Amino acid sequence: MFNSEQEMSVVFEKFLKENFGNSYMKECKGLFGIPDFVYYDKNDDRTELIAFELKLKDWKQAIKQAFRYKSFSNISYVVIPSVGVHIAVKNIELFKKYNIGLAGFNSLREFEILFKPKSELPYSHNLNDKILQSFKTSKKRTKNIKNLVSQE
């Protein structure tokens, strides 16, 4: 169990680096909210953005924030400690309705996806373009992105 969101964030960052590469930004400001992490996957023709909102308990607040992040990202996830994620799972239909991913995470860096969203176009072209400018010159490469996106 995590004692704080900061502690959870530190462990989650290590998880991101190990499993998906280091192509992410932490706490991006100047957007519609401040996501804990924005992971980016650059291809030849486009860049996919995945926003992560980490919360210890308040899944309702997290889903509101994750929905806002869809203004600039293709995919948005709520990540809750594994020990408490069962409460959010009882409301999985909301995550499905709004196409927001839900995952449980623990201090052993075990990440369990309970709902995997589909990639969508961001709601705001301007906000999407604003964050893409931050990644424009990055040479960082990603791995395993398909694990986060529904292929249905």
Side-chain angles (χ1 to χ4, degrees):
M1 178 75 179
F2 301 105
N3 294 316
S4 67
E5 283 183 18
Q6 174 61 31
E7 180 185 337
M8 184 178 179
S9 179
V10 168
V11 176
F12 190 75
E13 185 171 9
K14 290 176 185 175
F15 165 79
L16 274 180
K17 285 180 184 178
E18 290 172 2
N19 293 280
F20 301 107
N22 60 354
S23 57
Y24 64 89
M25 290 178 64
K26 191 173 181 177
E27 296 186 352
C28 303
K29 293 182 173 60
L31 300 167
F32 191 29
I34 302 173
D36 291 304
F37 293 92
V38 176
Y39 177 82
Y40 57 97
D41 180 37
K42 288 173 70 168
N43 297 320
D44 294 332
D45 55 339
R46 72 185 281 221
T47 301
E48 289 263 313
L49 299 176
I50 302 174
F52 294 95
E53 180 61 31
L54 282 57
K55 279 284 188 254
L56 291 181
K57 295 179 183 173
D58 194 352
W59 69 268
K60 289 179 185 176
Q61 181 62 29
I63 201 169
K64 289 176 193 174
Q65 290 174 261
F67 185 80
R68 285 197 305 260
Y69 304 157
K70 291 173 63 137
S71 62
F72 61 85
S73 67
N74 303 91
I75 296 166
S76 192
Y77 267 92
V78 169
V79 181
I80 299 174
S82 300
V83 296
V85 78
H86 65 280
I87 296 168
V89 170
K90 290 179 184 177
N91 298 279
I92 197 77
E93 290 308 314
L94 279 176
F95 290 88
K96 291 178 180 179
K97 179 180 179 180
Y98 296 109
N99 194 38
I100 294 171
L102 175 62
F105 185 68
N106 66 30
S107 58
L108 299 175
R109 295 186 213 156
E110 295 169 335
F111 184 74
E112 179 185 12
I113 297 175
L114 301 156
F115 174 68
K116 190 182 293 190
K118 295 176 187 161
S119 181
E120 299 176 311
L121 290 175
Y123 299 146
S124 170
H125 176 73
N126 290 341
L127 286 175
N128 180 256
D129 194 48
K130 181 178 181 178
I131 193 166
L132 288 177
Q133 293 304 314
S134 303
F135 304 135
K136 195 173 189 176
T137 59
S138 175
K139 303 278 190 236
K140 296 175 181 176
R141 290 288 172 219
T142 60
K143 58 185 179 181
N144 304 323
I145 183 100
K146 302 264 187 265
N147 295 339
L148 297 171
V149 185
S150 174
Q151 302 303 312
E152 296 175 12

